[in-house]
Amino acid sequence: MKTIIELINEKLTAAFEEAGIPAEFAKATVSNRPDLCEYQCNGAMAAAKTLHTAPLGIAEKAVAALSEDETFAEAAAVRPGFINLKLSPEALAAYLNLIAADDKLGVSGMGKGKTAIIDYGGANVAKPLHIGHLRSAIIGESIKRMYGFNGYDVIGDVHLGDWGLQMGLIIEATRDAQPDLPYFDENYTGEYPEEAPFTISDLERIYPAASARSKVDPDFAARAHAATLKLQQKDPGYYALFKQIMRVSLPDLKKNYDRLNVHFELWKGESDVQEYIPDMIQSFKDQGLLYESEGAMVIDVAEPTDTKELPPCLILKSDGAALYATTDLATLLEREQLYAPDEMVYLTDKRQDMHFKQVFRVAKKAGIVPEDVKLQFLGFGTMNGEDGKPFKTRSGGVMRLESLIEEIYDAVYQRIQGNEELSEEEAKQEAEVISLAALKYGDLSNQASKDYVFNVEKFISFEGNTGPYILYCIVRIKSILRKYAESAADGDAAFDAASVVPAAGSAAEKALQLALARVNEVLEGACRDLAPHRLCQYIYEIANAFSSFYHETRILAEPDEEKRAGYIALLKLTLKVLLTCIDLLGFEAADRM
Ligand code: ARG
């Protein structure tokens, strides 16, 4: 379906052509002076330079040609050459009714027939999740949902860090604690135990201790490195122990992601693509891409048009060990074979920007993915504390994800607990829903690449640009709709029948309708530009427009039945837009608050 701005531009184009003005100038934007008009076109000013005539005259000609058009209630030429436009309330309502009738809210489906992989989450197995992983999960989940809504076949891959030094550290620490385990017996030929030699809480203790020890105990560090290498060569005992680490860690990771309402289609990781590496390296060699530099094997990725120097991509260490880039390239190879995606999006902290530039360049240069596959990296900023420095716990340590979520949850629970209408169970459920909205909206409402300040009090506030405020509006709309259905003589039937959005009768009603009419444009644009913050901005605008409308209008008390039904239709659409958007942001609404 065409967006409202496309429709306006079509009308403008026809009018420009009729008036003999080059059509390229027929472009409108949302007005930045809503007090004067709704849409504006500045094309006459630009055309004046080409046509060598005064802009106002051009604007007047265009406006004359527009005057016949019923789309506009008003088209005015204004000094020095603006064209100010107001939509006719009937045309606006007609457009909204098309949107309301479409279960995709008028989105065209730019992704139809295309496959996209979103690589997000990126937790490192057996290491604590940190804030960077939180942002990756939250932003990635939203981007994945937006891709799906826009028609893509979309696959989310958690792409675990499961093949690194942490494994060697845990293997060696386990050996020291339980040397008799069969995993360490090179001559062992039996079945390895089914039971893991540690629990998740053991692992949570073992890794940090081993990591700290490796920094002061060079022997231990060397053993851990050797164990990592041996694991990567698939030593049977180490590999069996690795499987145990995975078996114990994954349910815990899943639990964490579930709580965030983050779900992956693929639970793959670095360890899954090791068998692709040897052939891939061989192919790099055959293509003459790989060469030795300072002991390592690298591939050049710099291009003459680069403005910043891009160093060669490290493929193999001097001991022949694979690196982060190697695994990512092998993963691209596997994805190409299994899914042949048209697009891939990666989400990590923006410090990995260079890594992904290098990997994407090698992937294209070596023909791992075809030239036309779109590879994108969305690097996000840091979550800071009030002091502007990366967020820390009160004791100064890196905040664990669980404690962070718990902190927001507790604050929300405190706030709603006193509400006498709620049982304890209900209060808990509600706190869960609201705190997730608070956390996710608090994060997503910032442009991803920017740093932002984590502020529980601000995030959980029911006023201002926050998740709870959005939920509050939703709850209010739901309650009006419920009351309408309850009070109507024939209940549900009347509710269902109230489905035609009428021509707006007041400024507040029209403002809400104008905002709603942009929904498809926003949903497409936010997806195309990987920008969930635009969805947040948009629903904040909708929530405010609803709020003004609500305060200025007697909705349920409106005596004229038809008018009342029209308001209800408008609120139904408002609710649908809000619920769709929050679902794409990755959170849900409460039924009351
Ligand atoms: N595990 C990585 C980290 O913690 C993130 C993985 C991102 N995805 C990827 N394909 N490299 O930094």
Side-chain angles (χ1 to χ4, degrees):
M1 194 171 143
K2 288 194 174 118
T3 61
I4 191 108
I5 192 87
E6 282 166 351
L7 291 172
I8 292 172
N9 284 339
E10 271 180 17
K11 301 285 180 186
L12 271 177
T13 303
F16 272 46
E17 274 168 353
E18 195 188 315
I21 313 162
E24 60 188 288
F25 300 112
K27 289 217 163 49
T29 53
V30 175
S31 161
N32 50 23
R33 286 287 304 274
D35 52 325
L36 296 179
C37 61
E38 295 157 2
Y39 284 86
Q40 70 185 62
C41 168
N42 303 346
M45 259 101 71
K49 295 199 186 96
T50 319
L51 301 177
H52 304 291
T53 39
L56 189 62
I58 299 175
E60 277 165 349
K61 273 200 219 151
V63 162
L66 275 174
S67 64
E68 303 290 279
D69 201 312
E70 286 175 357
T71 310
F72 303 104
E74 205 181 301
V78 181
R79 245 168 238 295
F82 295 113
I83 300 169
N84 288 352
L85 300 168
K86 282 188 187 162
L87 289 174
S88 92
E90 289 74 20
L92 177 57
Y95 186 74
L96 282 181
N97 283 314
L98 293 179
I99 295 234
D102 180 3
D103 58 359
K104 288 282 181 181
L105 292 169
V107 156
S108 291
M110 59 179 165
K112 257 183 228 137
K114 290 191 188 165
T115 300
I117 295 182
I118 316 297
D119 181 312
Y120 68 111
N124 297 321
V125 175
K127 286 166 110 173
L129 284 171
H130 60 68
I131 303 302
H133 295 121
L134 174 77
R135 293 210 72 192
S136 177
I138 291 179
I139 302 169
E141 180 73 18
S142 173
I143 286 180
K144 185 179 82 182
R145 290 175 184 218
M146 291 200 286
Y147 265 73
F149 193 81
N150 280 285
Y152 287 88
D153 276 322
V154 67
I155 304 168
D157 181 7
V158 65
H159 199 80
L160 299 171
D162 59 359
W163 208 231
L165 181 61
Q166 80 263 39
M167 296 300 172
L169 288 164
I170 294 170
I171 290 173
E172 286 310 309
T174 306
R175 181 203 306 282
D176 289 353
Q178 306 176 62
D180 297 332
L181 290 174
Y183 307 103
F184 309 114
D185 177 357
E186 298 206 343
N187 303 316
Y188 187 74
T189 51
E191 294 271 318
Y192 290 104
E194 245 171 59
E195 194 75 7
F198 31 58
T199 63
I200 185 70
S201 27
D202 294 335
L203 278 183
E204 279 172 1
R205 205 172 27 75
I206 295 171
Y207 171 73
S211 163
R213 181 173 164 202
S214 72
K215 302 215 166 79
V216 292
D217 179 346
D219 265 2
F220 180 73
R223 269 165 54 202
H225 276 286
T228 308
L229 199 63
K230 211 164 145 189
L231 167 67
Q232 294 185 347
Q233 290 152 358
K234 292 246 170 106
D235 173 88
Y238 287 15
Y239 193 67
L241 190 52
F242 159 79
K243 285 278 175 208
Q244 295 289 20
I245 300 175
M246 296 296 279
R247 253 192 52 214
V248 171
S249 302
L250 289 192
D252 184 60
L253 275 174
K254 284 205 169 113
K255 199 182 74 204
N256 263 298
Y257 283 127
D258 275 347
R259 184 157 188 203
L260 286 172
N261 203 3
V262 167
H263 311 283
F264 300 95
E265 285 65 36
L266 294 180
W267 279 80
K268 295 218 172 200
E270 297 170 350
S271 68
D272 288 303
V273 293
Q274 298 306 310
E275 50 279 29
Y276 292 87
I277 294 180
D279 284 353
M280 184 178 78
I281 300 285
Q282 190 55 47
S283 133
F284 291 161
K285 283 185 185 150
D286 295 345
Q287 297 182 67
L289 296 172
L290 203 64
Y291 71 95
E292 202 198 305
S293 163
E294 297 170 30
M297 297 303 276
V298 304
I299 294 180
D300 277 335
V301 289
E303 281 169 15
T305 49
D306 288 346
T307 47
K308 252 191 132 177
E309 197 193 320
L310 196 60
C313 182
L314 280 171
I315 304 290
L316 294 175
K317 281 204 279 199
S318 47
D319 61 2
L323 291 140
Y324 190 36
T326 329
T327 316
D328 266 331
L329 286 163
T331 305
L332 280 168
L333 198 67
E334 184 188 53
R335 287 179 186 162
E336 182 57 35
Q337 285 183 12
L338 298 184
Y339 311 104
D342 301 276
E343 292 190 26
M344 278 177 259
V345 183
Y346 291 78
L347 286 112
T348 78
D349 187 304
K350 65 186 171 201
R351 280 172 297 190
Q352 296 194 26
D353 183 55
M354 192 174 82
H355 164 77
F356 283 104
K357 268 206 186 92
Q358 293 175 315
V359 167
F360 294 170
R361 292 253 177 113
V362 174
K364 295 262 163 109
K365 204 171 164 178
I368 291 178
V369 297
E371 205 47 60
D372 59 352
V373 170
K374 194 168 170 190
L375 298 173
Q376 294 187 88
F377 169 63
L378 181 60
F380 47 79
T382 320
M383 189 174 105
N384 289 326
E386 294 294 338
D387 57 0
K389 300 204 182 101
F391 192 79
K392 295 258 163 69
T393 53
R394 276 190 210 100
S395 59
V398 176
M399 179 63 116
R400 306 227 10 204
L401 205 63
E402 278 157 288
S403 15
L404 183 89
I405 299 168
E406 209 55 40
E407 185 172 336
I408 299 185
Y409 173 86
D410 288 343
V412 171
Y413 185 74
Q414 297 281 329
R415 174 159 298 189
I416 60 177
Q417 195 189 24
N419 189 337
E420 274 150 38
E421 285 164 36
L422 294 180
S423 70
E424 193 184 321
E425 199 40 46
E426 286 170 331
K428 278 187 182 158
Q429 261 173 25
E430 211 164 281
E432 195 69 42
V433 172
I434 299 172
S435 55
L436 193 62
L439 173 65
K440 287 197 165 183
Y441 193 93
D443 187 305
L444 292 170
S445 53
N446 302 284
Q447 195 180 329
S449 61
K450 301 228 165 92
D451 298 347
Y452 74 96
V453 173
F454 179 79
N455 180 332
V456 179
E457 279 316 304
K458 191 176 133 205
F459 285 11
I460 70 166
S461 166
F462 282 28
E463 278 147 47
N465 190 6
T466 70
Y469 170 68
I470 303 290
L471 294 197
Y472 189 68
C473 284
I474 291 176
V475 165
R476 185 164 262 180
I477 296 173
K478 279 186 178 173
S479 135
I480 299 171
L481 294 179
R482 203 163 40 230
K483 283 188 193 136
Y484 178 80
E486 278 162 15
S487 68
D490 46 359
D492 289 348
F495 182 75
D496 291 342
S499 61
V500 182
V501 176
S506 73
E509 189 178 2
K510 196 170 187 199
L512 176 57
Q513 291 194 5
L514 280 166
L516 290 170
R518 285 184 10 247
V519 64
N520 45 359
E521 188 191 328
V522 172
L523 290 172
E524 286 169 2
C527 179
R528 197 179 297 115
D529 301 338
L530 307 179
H533 73 279
R534 298 239 300 269
L535 278 192
C536 293
Q537 259 164 23
Y538 179 65
I539 55 176
Y540 184 51
E541 191 187 322
I542 297 280
N544 285 333
F546 158 72
S547 199
S548 308
F549 170 66
Y550 172 80
H551 286 295
E552 284 172 30
T553 318
R554 293 194 312 179
I555 299 172
L556 292 172
E558 167 58 50
D560 179 338
E561 213 169 289
E562 203 185 308
K563 242 175 146 179
R564 197 165 64 234
Y567 290 153
I568 294 302
L570 178 60
L571 291 195
K572 278 187 189 172
L573 178 60
T574 309
L575 181 65
K576 185 172 166 189
V577 166
L578 287 173
L579 289 178
T580 303
C581 291
I582 66 167
D583 180 56
L584 297 182
L585 292 168
F587 57 89
E588 286 157 14
D591 279 326
R592 52 181 161 202
M593 271 167 88

